[in-house]
Amino acid sequence: MNGSKPPQPSDRPEEIEELQREINRLQAENEGLKKKIEGLEEELRASKRQAAPFSKGRRKANPKPPGRKAGEGIFRYRPAPAESMGAKIVEASVPAGCPRCGGALEVEAEEWATTTDLPVQPQPEVTRYRVPVCRCSQCGKRIRGTATGLAVDQFGATAHRVGPGVKAAAHAMHYGAGVPVRKLPMVLKELTGITLTQGAMTQDALRRGEAEVGTRYQQLCGGMREAPVVNTDDTGWRVGGSTAHLMVFVSAQSTVYQIRARHRNEEVREVIPADYAGVMGTDRGKSYDAEEFNAVAQQKCLGHLQRNLTEVLETKKGRAREFGLGLKDMLRQSIELHHRRSDLPPADYQLQVQQIDAALTFHLRHRILKDEDNQRLLDGIGLHQDRDNLLRFLRVEGLEPTNNRAERALRPAVIARKVSHCSKNQRGA
């Protein structure tokens, strides 16, 4: 200790003033944040109280007007039901005289009106078959009678069945309108008076899936092999509680789904063979990069690539961001050029395609980068550029730069996954 006095606050008035200003600023900022929190809490409470909790709280500037839209024609009246429906006729009564003056009434015209309704207690149409059962007196063979609409094995415990119209209605409500299987018996009972179990509907669907529906499914799969462009994607599924994959294949004409325990190139080649002559739009899944697909032209989803680049850029700073930013900008330019294709002269369009292709090829040239993540992106994406899997959509008519078509086709399946708990067994899958 040298005996010197420590500096006192009164010796540093500038610092005191600076600290006071900082305190005042922080206090003001704190008050502002408190008010903002109170406002957000009030909005949260209001959103829980209101009938539409997901409303954005503001009206549209130009809402659609009510009523029929342009081009839909003029609404005049509900058309009368067909006379072949066998409607009964009820004669409307008129008073004996005019209610106002008591004068005689003369018929000058006649109008028709109808009311279409469901019967209070619907009675289904039942067909009873009297089936003779014979036995050959010579060989003892048992012979049953036959009739149109009578199944060969319709006897014993399965003698009393529902007809194809009931099954068709059940399948239409389930697969077409989305009515759950557990609610179908109640709906059919109320509308038709027919009792049907969930198991009967499921078993009939499985039989049709292996028969005429299965044949149609194979035809659709064969059509995929002939389509010029097919987009494919997959999502998670379960079969009997075990992990599986639901795969989708989408062309301009049809959509095909399949459920498999694994998602390898073998499962993909069940629909898209190794000698496929069209273009297959995919994401960056490993199953599509197998050697078996080396001869298949592909278009990698640029949306997936841009998301991959964004994830890497969020962890980078300084010059480590240059590679990702440059690549992301080139992909964005290529998509913009795709959207402007119809507005450009063919020569200008081809010139711009060549320029973007040359710039992208140079940017993805083989080299060693200091950053490991950038090197991984360069090796993976550069390989697809060497195979022309990035900008093929600029040269092939009808090919999209993203795999959005397949992703949209998976959305109904994702909804079905949430409400159906997927598949109970492999036969159902």
Side-chain angles (χ1 to χ4, degrees):
M1 299 294 293
N2 55 11
S4 61
K5 292 174 58 178
Q8 299 298 318
S10 59
D11 298 336
R12 298 174 294 183
E14 296 83 0
E15 294 184 10
I16 294 175
E17 293 178 0
E18 180 65 27
L19 290 174
Q20 188 63 44
R21 285 193 296 269
E22 183 65 18
I23 291 173
N24 295 336
R25 187 187 66 81
L26 292 175
Q27 288 178 344
E29 184 179 352
N30 191 24
E31 291 297 327
L33 291 175
K34 285 182 179 180
K35 293 181 180 179
K36 187 175 182 180
I37 290 173
E38 292 176 357
L40 292 174
E41 289 178 347
E42 178 59 30
E43 291 181 7
L44 179 60
R45 288 191 293 269
S47 67
K48 292 181 178 180
R49 292 193 301 264
Q50 65 182 2
F54 300 104
S55 173
K56 296 180 180 179
R58 57 180 182 273
R59 295 179 178 272
K60 283 188 175 182
N62 299 307
K64 292 182 179 180
R68 297 173 66 83
K69 306 301 182 290
E72 295 183 356
I74 301 174
F75 178 78
R76 289 187 172 87
Y77 51 80
R78 176 188 294 273
E83 295 182 4
S84 59
M85 295 180 67
K88 64 179 182 180
I89 298 177
V90 177
E91 297 290 343
S93 61
V94 294
C98 176
R100 186 174 63 179
C101 66
L105 300 178
E106 297 179 357
V107 178
E108 64 177 13
E110 190 177 66
E111 298 177 351
W112 283 95
T114 62
T115 299
T116 304
D117 201 355
L118 291 173
V120 178
Q121 293 181 341
Q123 296 297 320
E125 181 181 316
V126 179
T127 303
R128 298 172 61 87
Y129 296 93
R130 183 181 289 109
V131 185
V133 181
C134 307
R135 188 176 298 278
C136 179
S137 59
Q138 183 173 344
C139 65
K141 182 177 176 60
R142 189 168 179 267
I143 305 296
R144 296 180 73 249
T146 60
T148 303
L150 178 67
V152 177
D153 58 347
Q154 191 171 341
F155 59 87
T158 63
H160 308 293
R161 306 180 181 182
V162 296
V166 177
K167 299 174 185 177
H171 296 323
M173 285 190 288
H174 176 53
Y175 296 103
V179 179
V181 175
R182 63 182 179 85
K183 293 185 178 181
L184 276 176
M186 178 190 67
V187 174
L188 288 173
K189 180 71 175 178
E190 291 292 331
L191 295 181
T192 66
I194 297 176
T195 301
L196 192 64
T197 62
Q198 299 182 34
M201 292 181 288
T202 302
Q203 291 295 327
D204 184 68
L206 290 173
R207 284 192 293 267
R208 294 179 184 277
E210 295 169 351
E212 60 266 26
V213 176
T215 301
R216 179 57 179 154
Y217 176 78
Q218 295 300 327
Q219 293 174 354
L220 292 174
C221 290
M224 287 292 169
R225 301 180 181 95
E226 305 298 328
V229 176
V230 173
N231 290 82
T232 179
D233 201 354
D234 75 296
T235 187
W237 199 258
R238 284 188 176 275
V239 178
S242 301
T243 301
H245 298 267
L246 186 144
M247 306 163 62
V248 65
F249 301 86
V250 185
S251 70
Q253 290 77 28
S254 58
T255 302
V256 168
Y257 298 88
Q258 69 174 14
I259 299 173
R260 296 294 182 269
R262 303 176 66 181
H263 184 206
R264 306 168 299 173
N265 73 86
E266 288 87 345
E267 285 74 23
V268 179
R269 285 189 286 119
E270 291 179 9
V271 181
I272 305 298
D275 58 350
Y276 175 58
V279 180
M280 181 170 61
T282 71
D283 55 18
R284 298 184 66 192
K286 293 183 178 179
S287 56
Y288 310 117
D289 296 336
E291 294 182 0
E292 287 79 0
F293 286 124
N294 285 346
V296 177
Q298 298 187 30
Q299 171 59 56
K300 293 301 176 181
C301 177
L302 299 195
H304 282 80
L305 294 178
Q306 289 177 321
R307 286 194 291 271
N308 296 152
L309 292 170
T310 300
E311 293 172 358
V312 173
L313 287 171
E314 290 176 351
T315 64
K316 304 301 174 185
K317 295 182 180 179
R319 297 191 62 183
R321 294 172 56 86
E322 293 181 359
F323 175 80
L325 289 174
L327 180 54
K328 194 172 182 181
D329 184 64
M330 292 180 189
L331 296 179
R332 178 186 58 79
Q333 292 180 23
S334 65
I335 295 176
E336 291 178 354
L337 179 59
H338 169 73
H339 293 314
R340 293 187 293 112
R341 181 171 187 170
S342 59
D343 301 330
L344 295 174
D348 293 347
Y349 175 78
Q350 294 298 332
L351 178 61
Q352 295 188 36
V353 169
Q354 295 174 5
Q355 292 174 347
I356 291 180
D357 191 10
L360 188 60
T361 301
F362 179 78
H363 191 74
L364 295 174
R365 68 190 184 279
H366 179 68
R367 61 191 188 277
I368 304 300
L369 301 179
K370 294 182 179 180
D371 188 90
E372 294 182 358
D373 294 330
N374 288 336
Q375 186 67 53
R376 175 174 52 83
L377 290 173
L378 173 62
D379 295 340
I381 301 177
L383 176 63
H384 292 303
Q385 173 63 8
D386 295 339
R387 296 178 176 178
D388 198 23
N389 292 342
L390 298 184
L391 303 181
R392 195 184 302 273
F393 69 96
L394 294 176
R395 300 183 178 90
V396 178
E397 191 74 28
L399 185 61
E400 298 177 351
T402 67
N403 202 31
N404 185 255
R405 178 177 295 184
E407 293 176 355
R408 292 198 308 269
L410 283 177
R411 291 175 187 172
V414 171
I415 297 174
R417 178 177 62 192
K418 293 181 179 179
V419 301
S420 67
H421 306 290
C422 302
S423 304
K424 188 176 181 179
N425 50 48
Q426 188 59 44
R427 186 187 180 202

